[in-house]
Amino acid sequence: YAPVQRGGAGADNLAERLRKVLGASAETDLGLARVLAYAGYGNVILGEYFCESPVADDQPALDSNQLLARGIERFDEVIRIATAAKAARPASAATADTLIHLARVGAARAALQRGDKAKAIEYASQVPAAFTFWLNYSETKSYQENRLFAASNGSGRYIGVSAKFRGLNDPRVRHNATAQSGHSPDAILYTPRLGTSHTGFSTAAAGNFAKTTGIRLASGLEAQYILAEAQGVNAANLAFVNSRRAVGGAAALAATVAPADFEAAVRDQRRRDF
């Protein structure tokens, strides 16, 4: 809870300061757009994981739906500012597009969580399938390291793979073959290996977490899953889910698959990919 609050509140605070410093130029500033994107994800994560949360010391706590809506407001600002920046400075188009796609994935995720499938489809359908936004880590300072390294290495390791994810024979969900004790003799853990949400992942060989392993924050892959959940069975979504099933060696779903079975397959493939 505390890191999510700090991240979202810190980004909101910085955005307010940037607006004052930048003045009119804030409307095309990609630095402000990036800060607002992180503020959006901070609010969305609060809304997904907590029933309610305060966001200011002079107002009552907001409920989950309000927090998600607050995230969407920030994502819409990102899209507006980055679009204006691209028009004003064509050379910035690549960076602007990255931030626009980052915001659209976040907004689609929040809209789906709110039950607004139409808005989720509107945002997600505009994200390229190949888009990926990584959170990067460094071993220069301990606080910049990916915490999954310490969590999965050494005698103090404290993360393991749930029984629901063990033995799937899927390269996206790998773990040590035998369980070992971790931070406590009573903590018998099947240590996870790199998955598709991490830099360095390969279907050819299992990889271990490093201090510099990046984590995927948003992607066209997530947008496709959002579309599949929001739209249900259609030719494009069926082809997408079958392409993900193929990665894990599962047979393709039939064209006549029942909606409930399709939804179950979407959720199963999504849990493996994320």
Side-chain angles (χ1 to χ4, degrees):
Y1 173 77
V4 174
Q5 269 286 24
R6 283 198 298 271
D12 275 335
N13 183 278
L14 181 55
E16 182 180 348
R17 293 169 184 265
L18 282 173
R19 290 187 200 278
K20 292 177 180 178
V21 171
L22 295 169
S25 65
E27 291 303 303
T28 59
D29 189 85
L30 292 177
L32 175 59
R34 184 180 294 271
V35 169
L36 286 168
Y38 287 127
Y41 275 94
N43 280 276
V44 168
I45 293 171
L46 277 176
E48 288 175 336
Y49 286 91
F50 299 96
C51 298
E52 63 177 19
S53 173
V55 294
D57 57 10
D58 59 349
Q59 27 179 294
L62 302 182
D63 66 25
S64 176
N65 267 340
Q66 291 172 314
L67 290 165
L68 293 165
R70 203 166 181 263
I72 293 173
E73 289 173 3
R74 282 147 182 76
F75 292 134
D76 283 340
E77 279 196 275
V78 174
I79 295 168
R80 177 178 57 78
I81 292 171
T83 300
K86 187 164 61 168
R89 299 185 300 279
S92 70
T95 301
D97 283 340
T98 294
L99 293 174
I100 289 169
H101 300 327
L102 175 63
R104 283 176 174 156
V105 174
R109 172 174 162 175
L112 186 64
Q113 182 76 6
R114 282 169 54 86
D116 189 345
K117 292 184 177 181
K119 291 299 288 185
I121 292 167
E122 178 185 335
Y123 287 117
S125 62
Q126 300 180 71
V127 180
F131 169 71
T132 305
F133 188 94
W134 297 99
L135 296 177
N136 299 310
Y137 296 83
S138 169
E139 56 186 352
T140 304
K141 301 287 186 181
S142 60
Y143 60 81
Q144 295 175 336
E145 296 172 2
N146 186 331
R147 291 187 180 185
L148 290 173
F149 171 77
S152 60
N153 284 275
S155 59
R157 60 183 175 273
Y158 56 86
I159 190 171
V161 177
S162 163
K164 294 181 179 180
F165 286 89
R166 296 202 295 265
L168 296 179
N169 195 28
D170 188 320
R172 296 169 292 178
V173 192
R174 290 192 176 108
H175 54 79
N176 283 0
T178 57
Q180 297 173 304
S181 62
H183 62 289
S184 163
D186 298 322
I188 308 302
L189 307 172
Y190 287 85
T191 303
R193 301 293 187 92
L194 294 176
T196 60
S197 290
H198 313 115
T199 55
F201 168 78
S202 169
T203 56
N208 294 317
F209 288 97
K211 294 179 180 179
T212 56
T213 298
I215 295 179
R216 181 177 56 195
L217 175 62
S219 63
L221 181 66
E222 182 175 4
Q224 287 179 288
Y225 273 112
I226 290 170
L227 286 174
E229 184 172 344
Q231 293 175 328
V233 187
N234 62 33
N237 292 337
L238 182 60
F240 165 67
V241 171
N242 280 336
S243 73
R244 302 314 300 164
R245 287 172 65 84
V247 176
L253 298 173
T256 55
V257 62
D261 292 336
F262 177 77
E263 182 177 336
V266 170
R267 293 180 182 277
D268 179 48
Q269 292 305 306
R270 179 169 178 145
R271 75 184 180 116
R272 294 171 188 237
D273 269 319
F274 290 91

